[in-house]
Amino acid sequence: QVQLLESRGGLVQPGDSLTLSCIVSGRTSSRPTMGWFRQAPGKEREFVAGSRWNQGSYFYADSVRGRFTISRDKAKNTLYLQMNSLKPGEPAVYYCATTPFAGGVVTTSDYAYWGQGAQVTVSS
């Protein structure tokens, strides 16, 4: 069993930065890959960034590459998502999740455990 506890989101202005965190508990063998997803109102949940937990390598959606940075602290069992230059059109609920599959997993249905979600609002 894996549990994920996300930090709160927040209200930011366009162009601002925000960092989300996700504390993970449970067996590391059941979560070789972790990811961040987001879901805007009326839209499907989409992949944002992923982390191969043990290798410390990362992969991104094209829409956020260069602006968002995913990282993890193994000692603290924490996954991070630093979001820079947030745009007015990308407020959403952000979720961290784990998958038992290794590699660059980007499909929502491949992720088994999910955090509670963090609301990020971008507004001037």
Side-chain angles (χ1 to χ4, degrees):
Q1 189 74 10
V2 177
Q3 293 82 38
L4 302 102
L5 180 62
E6 297 181 37
S7 60
R8 287 188 175 184
L11 171 63
V12 299
Q13 294 186 341
D16 281 357
S17 298
L18 184 68
T19 299
L20 301 177
S21 63
C22 176
I23 300 174
V24 186
S25 59
R27 295 186 300 153
T28 58
S29 61
S30 61
R31 47 178 170 92
T33 305
M34 295 192 62
W36 286 98
F37 289 74
R38 64 185 180 185
Q39 187 167 18
K43 295 187 177 181
E44 293 187 354
R45 194 170 299 185
E46 63 175 4
F47 170 79
V48 174
S51 167
R52 300 176 183 88
W53 185 261
N54 291 319
Q55 294 89 335
S57 61
Y58 309 105
F59 47 102
Y60 296 89
D62 289 342
S63 59
V64 305
R65 186 177 290 111
R67 294 189 301 121
F68 289 13
T69 301
I70 186 174
S71 61
R72 66 55 167 147
D73 185 328
K74 291 184 68 175
K76 295 182 178 179
N77 279 330
T78 302
L79 184 73
Y80 300 96
L81 182 68
Q82 180 180 345
M83 303 179 288
N84 297 327
S85 301
L86 283 162
K87 300 177 179 179
E90 57 185 357
V93 179
Y94 284 73
Y95 298 90
C96 63
T98 71
T99 174
F101 301 112
V105 184
V106 302
T107 303
T108 306
S109 59
D110 286 335
Y111 282 75
Y113 297 97
W114 294 83
Q116 80 279 11
Q119 177 70 53
V120 175
T121 302
V122 184
S123 175
S124 57

